[in-house]
Amino acid sequence: MIVVLESPNAIDTLCAEIGNARMVPFLGATPPLLVLPEAEATWGPRLAALPGVQRVLSPKEPVLSTHALQADKARVQVGEICFGGRDIPVIAGPCSVENEAQVVSLARTVQANGASLLRGGAYKGRTSPFAFQGHGEDAIPHLVKAREATGLPVVTEIITPEDLVLLSERIDLLQVGARNMHNTALLKAIGRTKTPVLLKRGFGSSVEELLFAADYILAEGNPNVMLCERGIRTFERGVRFSFDLSAFALLKSKTRLPVVVDPSHAVGNANLVSTVAKAAIAAGADGLLIEVHDEPDQALSDGDQALTPDAFSALMSELAPIAAAVGRHLLGVPR
Ligand code: PEP
Ligand code: MN
C-alpha cells in the first residue's frame, strides 16, 4: 500500500498511529510517499483519514512517472538546455568516445549543425563480451574537453553504481542503457543524486516496466528523469530493432516525463535513421538522440547506424519544418 503524504513531516504522526508495521519511506520523492508493503487492504480508509495523508493507493501501477499524482508535465534542465517544453533539443555524437581529437572535432561539427548536447559512450554495455567495451574512465576527460571547447552539455552511459561519483561530477546527463533498465541497484543509486538521467527502454520491456524503472529513480528523490524509446526486438531481421511508434504514443499519453527518441539504435542502419527521426518529431518527441561519426566505417562501435556530418546536417534541416508544423521548435536551427 502506498500512502501519499502532504509533507515529509507527516511521517511522525503516521509512525505513532501505525505502530511497528514495516514502512519504507520515500520522503525525497514528489509527493513524499510511505510504502507499507505488508498492509492489508482494510487499512486503507483508516490511513486515508489520518492527518497529513493526501491519499492511499495500491501499488499496482507506476505513480511518480505518470499523471497518477501530478497533472503537470515535468521539465528537465540539463545545463542551459530544457527538455519537456516547446523546444526540442537534439543530442548527437559518436556511439563511443574514441579519442580526444575525434570527440572534440565531432562536438564542433554537431554543434555547427544545431545539436544542443554531445553524446559519447565511455563505458559501453555491449551484448558481446568480445565487442569494444569503451575506453572507460580514460574517455571522460575527452568529453570534458569537448564541453570546454563548445559549451555543449555532455551525455554518457553509466553501467555500474561504482562510477556514479566520478560521472556525476563530470557529466551533465547520465544515460541508463537498454540493457540496464532493470538494474535496480543502479536506478536507486542515481535516484540518490540530482544528476539528470536519460532512462532507455529495454528492448524486451513494456511501457509499464519502463515507467516502474523511472519510479525507482524518482522515488529516491531525483526528479530529473527523462525516458527514451530506442526500439524493441521483433521478428523483423532487416533492421537492428524496430521503432515502436505505438508504444511511444502510449508512453507519451501516460508519462509526465519528457520522452526522447533514439532512431539510430531503433533501426541500426544510417539510411533509415532520418525516416524514423522525422516520424518521431511529428509524433511529439521531446528530444532526439542521433549517432554521428565523421568516418562511420572506421567507428569502434555502431558505425552502420552513424550519420555522416553531412547527413546529420541535412536531417536537421528537414526536421525543423516538421517541428514547426506540430507547434514546436527544433532547438539550434534558426526559426
Ligand atoms: C548507446 O546509446 O550507444 C547504446 C548502447 O544504446 P542502447 O542502450 O539503447 O542499446
Ligand atoms: Mn551506440
Side-chain angles (χ1 to χ4, degrees):
M1 188 165 286
I2 301 179
V3 182
V4 183
L5 307 178
E6 265 153 24
S7 89
N9 305 332
I11 188 128
D12 296 333
T13 333
L14 271 149
C15 286
E17 285 288 336
I18 299 167
N20 52 11
R22 202 156 70 82
M23 299 180 213
V24 186
F26 293 104
L27 299 183
T30 307
L33 305 176
L34 182 67
V35 174
L36 305 173
E38 287 148 36
E40 291 158 29
T42 52
W43 295 19
R46 182 165 75 92
L47 291 169
L50 293 175
V53 172
Q54 208 188 85
R55 57 201 274 205
V56 176
L57 301 165
S58 85
K60 290 197 186 102
E61 287 174 2
V63 293
L64 297 172
S65 53
T66 63
H67 293 291
L69 300 174
Q70 283 167 283
D72 60 327
K73 288 263 175 203
R75 292 188 179 204
V76 173
Q77 195 74 33
V78 183
E80 313 252 287
I81 306 300
C82 176
F83 287 83
R86 186 171 171 271
D87 286 346
I88 304 175
V90 176
I91 305 167
C95 179
S96 296
V97 174
E98 297 175 5
N99 56 62
E100 183 184 308
Q102 172 229 23
V103 80
V104 170
S105 135
L106 273 171
R108 292 202 170 102
T109 305
V110 297
Q111 182 177 44
N113 290 297
S116 298
L117 299 96
L118 172 74
R119 65 151 285 145
Y123 303 89
K124 299 299 301 173
R126 305 300 298 280
T127 298
S128 162
F130 313 118
F132 176 60
Q133 303 286 308
H135 290 307
E137 194 174 336
D138 293 345
I140 304 302
H142 304 331
L143 285 168
V144 172
K145 270 268 158 61
R147 177 177 52 211
E148 282 165 9
T150 57
L152 293 181
V154 292
V155 186
T156 207
E157 182 170 346
I158 179 164
I159 58 176
T160 163
E162 281 132 54
D163 296 328
L164 194 55
V165 173
L166 171 88
L167 294 181
S168 286
E169 281 169 4
R170 293 171 175 77
I171 297 300
D172 303 287
L173 174 60
L174 297 173
Q175 179 176 313
V176 173
R179 291 160 189 79
N180 262 315
M181 190 202 89
H182 286 298
N183 182 342
T184 55
L186 180 61
L187 302 176
K188 286 182 189 177
I190 295 171
R192 290 191 283 269
T193 73
K194 294 281 188 246
T195 309
V197 54
L198 182 65
L199 174 63
K200 288 187 145 193
R201 178 184 176 203
F203 43 79
S205 304
S206 67
V207 166
E208 185 179 76
E209 287 167 332
L210 172 62
L211 294 170
F212 271 129
D215 272 14
Y216 263 97
I217 304 173
L218 295 163
E220 296 293 334
N222 185 348
N224 302 311
V225 182
M226 296 190 275
L227 306 174
C228 180
E229 173 54 49
R230 48 79 72 212
I232 54 165
R233 177 65 39 79
T234 69
F235 55 80
E236 178 52 66
R237 311 288 290 274
V239 282
R240 187 178 180 196
F241 294 96
S242 289
F243 175 55
D244 194 356
L245 184 57
S246 311
F248 173 79
L250 177 66
L251 185 57
K252 280 286 291 187
S253 76
K254 292 216 170 251
T255 191
R256 55 185 302 275
L257 307 175
V259 184
V260 171
V261 169
D262 169 357
S264 302
H265 291 85
V267 295
N269 174 342
N271 295 324
L272 307 177
V273 167
S274 94
T275 304
V276 172
K278 288 187 269 188
I281 295 296
D286 297 303
L288 289 179
L289 186 156
I290 296 179
E291 288 190 343
V292 179
H293 199 287
D294 47 358
E295 287 180 292
D297 26 331
Q298 303 297 316
L300 292 179
S301 58
D302 288 353
D304 291 347
Q305 68 200 33
L307 297 190
T308 60
D310 283 349
F312 177 65
S313 170
L315 173 60
M316 291 296 279
S317 316
E318 286 184 85
L319 293 175
I322 300 174
V326 294
R328 309 283 292 270
H329 170 63
L330 192 75
L331 201 60
V333 173
R335 278 165 214 262

